[in-house]
Amino acid sequence: MKVDLAVLTPAYLDYTFVGLEALPGPGEERFAGDMLRSPGGGAITAVGAKRLGLNTALVAPLGDDLAGDFVRRALEAEGVAFGEPRGNRTPTTVVMPVAGERSMVTVDPGVRARAADLEPLSPRAVAATLEQVDLLPDGTCAFVTCGDDDARAFAGRLPRVRRKLRALIVNRREASVLTGASSPEEAARALATVAETAVVTLGPAGAMAVVDDRPIAVDGVNATAVVDTTGAGDLFAAALAWADLLGADPEVALAWANLYAGMSVGSHTGVGGAVSRVRLLQEGERRGLPPLPS
């Protein structure tokens, strides 16, 4: 099987509270209007990439449990390929969005993809986390994200890479932890030592990137009311890989990835915000984004 994008990034089952009035303090009880189940983590990247038209496989292992069964059924419905269950528990995250931000609690047994899992797929590109850079095959474009745990693990000491990553995408908080830099541009320049395109996402303010020692500022999307920011970084990575594989210049790819991530925050759950390729192209045309290669 040959795929456009293989996703190593750990996948989760997300439980998302909808309409949570506030985060509870010690001894408090708070109420929400509903709770949704959805694929999380790398599964968001895989679904987003598939909806954009890439042939996609989730390589991250899912457990042999009810949570894994749910995520596999959701991926199958999207047309995303996946492997056999591994382990008896699927990583699970409780997501608590409140007032445009979200807090999360995760239980993760720590079962991860192996380099051998990629061999049958011959991927054109790979999505992974910073802790997985040693698994990346030579000659494959790598689009790497970073979670809170990765940022703490690599604080002040970026991993050594055999060749530069195609892109490294982190948010403002992760960039500060990783580099100690006082500004997004300074952080992006530090991250550019390991990536051809180093991106610091800035939420409603857009993103700052350094490409070939050139700073590139991407304006915010000015989306409607922010409902849930979960998965915005995962979808940024999916869209950046999509545009890059189409042959777009870095500035063009960044603009489209930023729009895709920005459009996602008006919906509940990460996969709920992963709009279709047609919807993204329509919105990009309406906003005057530079055209993508055919």
Side-chain angles (χ1 to χ4, degrees), residues 82-153:
F82 51 85
E84 294 296 320
R86 188 184 306 161
N88 55 17
R89 293 195 65 183
T90 295
T92 301
T93 297
V94 176
V95 184
M96 296 166 282
V98 176
E101 264 299 346
R102 86 286 189 258
S103 300
M104 298 184 292
V105 177
T106 295
V107 177
D108 185 354
V111 180
R112 294 292 185 262
R114 302 167 300 203
D117 297 331
L118 286 171
E119 292 176 4
L121 301 175
S122 301
R124 297 173 62 201
V126 174
T129 63
L130 203 56
E131 69 170 359
Q132 297 174 309
V133 294
D134 290 338
L135 302 180
L136 300 173
D138 290 335
T140 302
C141 294
F143 298 84
V144 175
T145 53
C146 174
D148 285 349
D149 52 346
D150 289 341
R152 291 191 296 268

Side-chain angles (χ1 to χ4, degrees), residues 226-254:
V226 176
V227 173
D228 186 356
T229 61
T230 305
D234 300 301
L235 294 174
F236 193 109
L240 192 63
W242 166 71
D244 185 84
L245 291 175
L246 284 176
D249 292 335
E251 294 91 339
V252 175
L254 285 165

